[in-house]
Amino acid sequence: MRVNWNYIKLTLLSITIIGLYGFAEHRSKKKRVADISINFLGDNNLYLTEASVNKLLIQNYGTVKNRAKEELVLNTIEDIILSNAMVKNAQVYLTVNGELISKIVQRKPIGRVEGVSKFYLDDLGKRMPLSKDHSARVPIITGKITGKSLEDAYTILNYINEDDFLRKNVIGIHVEEEGKYQLKFRLENFVVNLGGVENLNEKFKNFMAFYAKAAKDNSLEKYAIVSLEFNNQVVCTKI
């Protein structure tokens, strides 16, 4: 009977590889977490600290460092980090060296509501709690706050943030009533009656033309109200 040595060699090699892989996997699972690294991505990293993330994990998951890797459930750790109201996105993974890496994107406030309830409006139009670690320099939203007025304020803020001049100078949005909004500027005494959120591009184009001319004439301080509510025109009320 002729023996197929190639087949036997291939079988032994396969068994050896499987054994080594299983041994390596077993050793990997028995390894412990050597260190924890918390990385905040982007440039909006003011509302949550590394210490607060560590505290959150300890309170809801227990100590992670020196814990056996096989005991970790990375999805659960991600969910715990995401449960913090300041977190927009989180990714957690383990390196081959046993380091637990957490990459976190914090939420970005674009407006601050000052009413019966005080909170931020974030860049997705959602409510975001105030932070004990940092106060954002964003326009203040006041007046008759409702769900619809917040949606409109979000639309206005998005437009403002796309324009360098408006982003630097608009410091407040006052809700007179739903569909009727007033803007406050950093350096000017007048207020801008915007009306509703329709035709924002046309309204602000007209405003910028008025502002440029009034600034050239040194007459900005003469106005108390600048209204953009009327179709394709700027109506001013002097002091």
Side-chain angles (χ1 to χ4, degrees):
M1 180 178 177
R2 188 174 180 180
V3 178
N4 190 336
W5 290 106
N6 289 332
Y7 177 78
I8 293 174
K9 289 177 181 179
L10 182 60
T11 302
L12 290 174
L13 180 61
S14 298
I15 293 172
T16 301
I17 292 173
I18 293 171
L20 289 173
Y21 177 79
F23 178 72
E25 185 178 22
H26 177 73
R27 287 191 62 186
S28 177
K29 288 182 177 180
K30 289 298 181 182
K31 283 185 178 180
R32 297 185 174 274
V33 177
D35 199 6
I36 302 173
S37 178
I38 297 172
N39 302 318
F40 295 111
L41 305 182
D43 57 358
N44 192 58
N45 303 320
L46 302 169
Y47 310 99
L48 188 65
T49 64
E50 183 175 338
S52 59
V53 174
N54 281 323
K55 183 178 179 180
L56 181 68
L57 289 175
I58 291 172
Q59 289 177 339
N60 295 276
Y61 196 81
T63 302
V64 175
K65 192 173 181 179
N66 295 322
R67 197 164 177 172
K69 290 169 64 176
E70 65 179 354
E71 296 179 5
L72 297 181
V73 183
L74 298 183
N75 287 340
T76 300
I77 295 176
E78 278 187 3
D79 289 341
I80 290 171
I81 295 174
L82 286 168
S83 70
N84 187 288
M86 299 297 176
V87 176
K88 184 176 185 179
N89 191 25
Q91 180 185 12
V92 178
Y93 60 92
L94 273 167
T95 67
V96 293
N97 297 323
E99 185 178 16
L100 183 72
I101 306 290
S102 299
K103 293 184 176 180
I104 300 172
V105 178
Q106 296 188 28
R107 295 172 68 183
K108 180 180 179 180
I110 60 173
R112 175 171 175 154
V113 175
E114 289 289 335
V116 177
S117 298
K118 300 180 188 298
F119 55 90
Y120 289 124
L121 196 64
D122 75 2
D123 60 345
L124 295 178
K126 297 180 179 179
R127 297 187 180 208
M128 172 182 171
L130 303 183
S131 170
K132 64 180 180 180
D133 298 307
H134 180 75
S135 181
R137 295 183 63 183
V138 292
I140 304 298
I141 305 169
T142 57
K144 299 178 181 178
I145 307 298
T146 64
K148 178 61 169 63
S149 64
L150 283 180
E151 290 179 12
D152 287 348
Y154 174 67
T155 299
I156 296 168
L157 288 167
N158 272 335
Y159 190 96
I160 287 171
N161 286 329
E162 290 296 319
D163 184 275
D164 188 60
F165 173 82
L166 294 175
R167 184 177 63 253
K168 291 178 179 178
N169 288 281
V170 175
I171 60 172
I173 300 175
H174 182 70
V175 184
E176 296 182 289
E177 59 185 68
E178 281 189 10
K180 201 169 183 180
Y181 305 98
Q182 192 176 75
L183 304 183
K184 297 179 181 179
F185 281 68
R186 187 179 308 280
L187 299 177
E188 311 305 338
N189 293 323
F190 60 75
V191 295
V192 175
N193 286 342
L194 184 65
V197 296
E198 68 284 348
N199 303 320
L200 286 182
N201 191 56
E202 181 179 319
K203 288 178 178 179
F204 280 114
K205 182 179 178 180
N206 291 336
F207 171 76
M208 294 304 293
F210 152 78
Y211 191 93
K213 185 177 185 305
K216 184 178 180 180
D217 297 340
N218 293 317
S219 60
L220 287 172
E221 69 278 0
K222 296 179 181 179
Y223 300 106
I225 299 173
V226 176
S227 178
L228 308 177
E229 298 174 90
F230 306 101
N231 186 36
N232 200 32
Q233 58 184 314
V234 178
V235 178
C236 302
T237 303
K238 291 187 175 181
I239 296 175

